[in-house]
Amino acid sequence: MTVRPFLVSSPGKVILFGEHAVVYGKSAVAASIGLRAYLLFQPTQDHQVRIRFPDILLDQSFAQDDIPLLPVYEQHPSESEHHFSHLLAGFSDNARVAILAFLCLYSHIGFEYEQAHPNAPPKYGFTIHIKSFIPVGAGLGSSAAFSVCIATALLRHFDHSSLDNSSPGLPASTLSTINNWAFRMEQVTHGQPSGVDNTIAVYGGAKLYRKGQEVENLEGFSSMRFLLTNTRVPKNTKKMVANVAQFRNKYPAVVDPLLEAINGIAHSFKELVSGNPSQLNASLAELVTMNQSLLSVLGVSHQTLDTLCQVTSCQQLPSKLTGAGGGGCALTWVPPSTTPDTIAQVKRDLKTLGYITYDTDIGGPGVQACDISTDVQHATSIFLHSDSLCEPDTELLERLKWTSI
Ligand SMILES: Nc1ncnc2c1ncn2[C@@H]1O[C@H](COP(=O)(O)OP(=O)(O)O)[C@@H](O)[C@H]1O
Ligand SMILES: C[C@@](O)(CCOP(=O)(O)O)CC(=O)O
Ligand SMILES: [Mg+2]
């Protein structure tokens, strides 16, 4: 069977309430954002696996036979890292983590395929090219969108039945399979992820998320307006999550009540968002400010984030960090009564500080696919742009026919 080229896209996310606490089984309020990652899968006639990740300046090929196919027999992927060490030598940290996450998934999904099809001839190679509009390492879930794109592409590559379909998508039940594999990749990137980022990157929308529980949709949340601001201070989620874990081990009697208080904020929001909008508008600024203070006590804020909160609060717009903190992004709630002049002033103030602001919709679709067999030239041209590290052409992307999976 000829494998056709295809595209996959997955959104970044914003956490309104509950980052870090969600790692410890508390609830978080999160939604997809309009910034997305895009993956182009191109089959090749050789037996090379090529990954092109221009956002992290990586273009690397592996001979298929050099990648061991292994079952998932350990609790945590870090225990299987040694199987791939021969393929990771000489790479910088960012590239190393991205390659390892990719290889782990290739290895396990490839293993399952081989078990299910013992007599199948070896698969041909491919190039996976990823370009993302989500700033990398800024708290907007770039790692989760990256993981969801790769999990979807590898499942499609290895799963014959889904390729039999004329529709570009995978069967609906596949969403949870994609989510589970993406979580595995997030474990490589983050150490101890809660699963909120990959869940939003797969399903999209605006949700209340709690580990191990059914996610709840929060309809009213999608219509709210937020400004996202990147302080441009690089941060590392794995490090920030590990710092909180250390702090909690040292002061459980202090840290656990903080996490519980954050949980209380997420639940207060859930009650408010399904009730009277004027009550929500009266309380939301307080909830945002309280959550920021609690995160600051947890040690995950940063001077640039504190400055940002002060600058926006001068215009009566409350802000908090979003994602792992220690740098990266903050969100600012823009109440419906805010004048365009105020918004423009805040954006100017933030720009003066060297920050980048994004005005983006929230609650859009999760993972999507697009069959490009009829328009390969068109779709690949998007990625040729990104070869030279220019932004992909959004107009071209929008003209493609995307289907939710
Ligand atoms: N577009 C991308 N291309 C390659 N790797 C990516 C991309 N986006 C994310 N990653 C991977 O995710 C890591 C950043 O993840 P993380 O620290 O969790 O930050 P974020 O808040 O953006 O999710 C990168 O070091 C890299 O391994
Ligand atoms: C800090 C945390 O709550 C969110 C991390 O998000 P990001 O990787 O900074 O986009 C960790 C998690 O939920 O896995
Ligand atoms: Mg991440």
Side-chain angles (χ1 to χ4, degrees):
M1 185 187 309
T2 326
V3 184
R4 297 185 300 262
F6 56 85
L7 288 164
V8 181
S9 130
S10 172
K13 64 90 227 272
V14 64
I15 297 180
L16 175 56
F17 298 119
E19 46 275 275
H20 289 289
V22 67
V23 174
Y24 299 93
K26 311 298 178 195
S27 295
V29 173
S32 55
I33 55 175
L35 306 172
R36 302 179 72 91
Y38 294 89
L39 175 152
L40 169 66
F41 179 99
Q42 287 175 299
T44 53
Q45 294 302 311
D46 54 21
H47 292 281
Q48 293 285 309
V49 170
R50 181 176 180 191
I51 46 176
R52 307 183 81 187
F53 302 154
D55 297 320
I56 57 163
L57 306 177
L58 181 73
D59 185 346
Q60 187 63 29
S61 290
F62 302 98
Q64 261 175 334
D65 287 348
D66 284 346
I67 310 174
L69 300 186
L70 303 165
V72 176
Y73 49 71
E74 340 69 7
Q75 278 299 308
H76 197 279
S78 59
E79 291 165 40
S80 59
E81 200 174 322
H82 63 279
H83 294 297
F84 307 103
S85 46
H86 62 296
L87 303 171
L88 299 170
F91 288 103
S92 67
D93 266 6
N94 244 7
R96 196 171 186 282
V97 171
I99 297 171
L100 179 62
F102 170 82
L103 290 175
C104 279
L105 217 63
Y106 180 95
S107 171
H108 297 319
I109 296 180
F111 178 85
E112 291 196 355
Y113 170 77
E114 239 187 25
Q115 294 293 299
H117 308 91
N119 301 319
K123 280 202 159 282
Y124 278 107
F126 58 81
T127 298
I128 277 182
H129 193 144
I130 293 182
K131 180 70 196 139
S132 182
F133 286 100
I134 310 161
V136 179
L140 299 182
S142 80
S143 60
F146 170 77
S147 304
V148 167
C149 284
I150 289 176
T152 306
L154 290 179
L155 283 168
R156 248 188 116 160
H157 171 66
F158 281 115
D159 186 339
H160 274 291
S161 60
S162 65
L163 295 173
D164 284 340
N165 294 340
S166 53
S167 91
L170 296 163
S173 63
T174 312
L175 281 183
S176 74
T177 312
I178 295 172
N179 202 20
N180 289 338
W181 284 120
F183 179 72
R184 186 103 190 146
M185 280 187 78
E186 281 279 86
Q187 285 182 306
V188 178
T189 316
H190 286 188
Q192 293 289 45
S194 65
V196 62
D197 289 10
N198 49 282
T199 300
I200 295 291
V202 168
Y203 296 98
K207 315 236 185 281
L208 185 82
Y209 174 90
R210 193 177 189 124
K211 248 199 281 194
Q213 286 190 9
E214 190 101 349
V215 283
E216 287 179 52
N217 288 324
L218 297 176
E219 300 304 343
F221 178 21
S222 305
S223 56
M224 294 167 61
R225 183 163 178 204
F226 297 94
L227 192 65
L228 297 177
T229 306
N230 189 353
T231 61
R232 296 165 72 196
V233 172
K235 71 99 183 77
N236 180 297
T237 305
K238 189 173 189 170
K239 201 173 117 214
M240 299 313 292
V241 169
N243 287 353
V244 173
Q246 245 179 14
F247 206 30
R248 182 169 174 260
N249 281 340
K250 196 167 173 192
Y251 303 112
V254 179
V255 172
D256 282 340
L258 295 174
L259 302 175
E260 196 51 47
I262 293 174
N263 187 54
I265 292 176
H267 281 274
S268 301
F269 176 78
K270 183 198 149 181
E271 297 307 319
L272 283 164
V273 83
S274 55
N276 181 334
S278 65
Q279 255 169 7
L280 173 66
N281 289 340
S283 307
L284 191 52
E286 288 164 355
L287 294 180
V288 170
T289 308
M290 281 194 283
N291 199 158
Q292 170 61 21
S293 301
L294 290 163
L295 288 165
S296 182
V297 181
L298 276 179
V300 297
S301 194
H302 186 271
Q303 205 188 330
T304 51
L305 291 163
D306 297 342
T307 306
L308 186 152
C309 293
Q310 279 159 15
V311 165
T312 66
S313 76
C314 288
Q315 304 288 341
Q316 274 68 54
L317 302 182
S319 299
K320 66 174 270 295
L321 70 87
T322 187
C329 285
L331 66 81
T332 303
W333 176 50
V334 182
S337 57
T338 314
T339 64
D341 281 355
T342 304
I343 297 169
Q345 182 60 51
V346 165
K347 282 187 181 171
R348 271 197 301 275
D349 293 345
L350 295 171
K351 203 174 163 200
T352 309
L353 289 166
Y355 303 164
I356 300 172
T357 55
Y358 309 94
D359 235 335
T360 173
D361 294 336
I362 62 167
V367 60
Q368 293 187 309
C370 173
D371 200 321
I372 54 165
S373 50
T374 53
D375 204 356
V376 178
Q377 201 63 37
H378 178 188
T380 49
S381 64
I382 296 162
F383 286 85
L384 288 181
H385 278 287
S386 66
D387 259 0
S388 56
L389 295 183
C390 299
E391 291 294 271
D393 187 327
T394 29
E395 257 181 54
L396 284 180
L397 282 170
E398 274 161 20
R399 261 187 269 139
L400 295 169
K401 234 176 137 202
W402 292 97
T403 318
S404 285
I405 291 171

